[in-house]
Amino acid sequence: EAGVVQSPRYKIIEKKQPVAFWCNPISGHNTLYWYLQNLGQGPELLIRYENEEAVDDSQLPKDRFSAERLKGVDSTLKIQPAELGDSAVYLCASSLGEQYFGPGTRLTVT
Amino acid sequence: QKEVEQDPGPLSVPEGAIVSLNCTYSNSAFQYFMWYRQYSRKGPELLMYTYSSGNKEDGRFTAQVDKSSKYISLFIRDSQPSDSATYLCATGEDTGRRALTFGSGTRLQVQP
């Protein structure tokens, strides 16, 4: 069974530019998460979806971050405009009970 | 104070040693406990999960939870160089479908 797929794996952009990350969850998992992981820290939740509904987005900086999960499967996380402090690893996870993570997208903002 | 505190690394042990990794948590609502292993530049990989106090064993790994003291442990027996990674403890309030609260991770190095 395929795991959580994320792309791109790495992204380098200049500050103030937009960036988007894509996630394809494990088939049948209706709960999808986006986490942020800073260096030397554990993942922290940005947003959680149950099917296509965002049920917990309290930690998502809504002035620059947005996310969508059309049709309740794939999801996209966008940052516009990116700031230097957004450099981190963006992890997608999916769940039917236990959470399984993708490999992450490592973002560097210069 | 963070809701989940994890022993700082790095932890270096010789091959074959028994490794003990630990976390404490502060929220009594946490009922669900997990350990993830994360290799460099990879996503976290689920190792073990448990809902209750006590021990859960899976091969060389044993997860231990003491809800009365809010203490979580992971033991690795006969440690191997391939066990070298960062280990993250995580807790949640229900079955785990809500967001997990992670510790900051302990980096383990097993020396051959």
Side-chain angles (χ1 to χ4, degrees):
Chain A
E1 178 181 294
V4 177
V5 179
Q6 290 188 247
S7 69
R9 292 294 315 278
Y10 304 92
K11 189 75 175 180
I12 301 174
I13 61 170
E14 294 183 346
K15 63 182 180 182
K16 301 185 181 179
Q17 295 301 305
V19 65
F21 314 124
W22 175 82
C23 174
N24 178 244
I26 294 172
S27 178
H29 284 195
N30 56 355
T31 308
L32 182 147
Y33 317 76
W34 285 100
Y35 285 87
L36 168 71
Q37 186 175 26
N38 287 304
L39 187 65
Q41 300 297 316
E44 297 177 353
L45 181 75
L46 288 172
I47 189 168
R48 174 171 68 103
Y49 282 93
E50 293 288 349
N51 299 303
E52 64 274 9
E53 182 182 359
V55 296
D56 185 356
D57 63 355
S58 58
Q59 301 303 312
L60 188 72
K62 298 181 182 63
D63 56 336
R64 298 185 299 109
F65 286 66
S66 64
E68 61 182 11
R69 191 183 184 196
L70 300 176
K71 301 181 181 178
V73 180
D74 295 358
S75 178
T76 302
L77 178 69
K78 299 179 182 178
I79 308 174
Q80 183 171 10
E83 297 179 352
L84 294 176
D86 296 331
S87 296
V89 176
Y90 292 82
L91 292 162
C92 180
S94 70
S95 169
L96 275 180
E98 294 74 47
Q99 294 183 29
Y100 295 89
F101 283 81
T105 297
R106 182 176 297 270
L107 174 68
T108 302
V109 182
T110 63
Chain B
Q1 183 184 3
K2 292 185 177 181
E3 286 191 288
V4 179
E5 297 280 357
Q6 189 165 359
D7 282 358
L11 178 63
S12 182
V13 301
E15 183 175 354
I18 296 174
V19 176
S20 173
L21 304 167
N22 308 292
C23 289
T24 58
Y25 64 95
S26 57
N27 189 342
S28 297
F30 290 148
Q31 299 294 324
Y32 189 74
F33 308 94
M34 310 172 90
W35 283 95
Y36 285 85
R37 176 175 62 195
Q38 188 172 26
Y39 292 112
S40 180
R41 296 184 178 272
K42 302 289 186 182
E45 171 194 7
L46 180 61
L47 274 179
M48 300 187 71
Y49 62 92
T50 181
Y51 293 90
S52 58
S53 282
N55 293 350
K56 182 176 182 179
E57 188 173 321
D58 184 1
R60 296 185 296 110
F61 298 89
T62 300
Q64 187 175 85
V65 175
D66 183 346
K67 289 187 179 179
S68 63
S69 60
K70 299 187 179 66
Y71 199 81
I72 312 164
S73 298
L74 179 70
F75 299 96
I76 307 174
R77 291 183 299 279
D78 188 25
S79 56
Q80 303 295 310
S82 60
D83 294 328
S84 298
T86 295
Y87 290 80
L88 296 157
C89 63
T91 66
E93 292 187 17
D94 50 23
T95 60
R97 294 183 68 153
R98 296 192 186 182
L100 294 175
T101 301
F102 283 84
S104 57
T106 300
R107 189 153 63 94
L108 172 67
Q109 184 72 37
V110 181
Q111 304 292 342

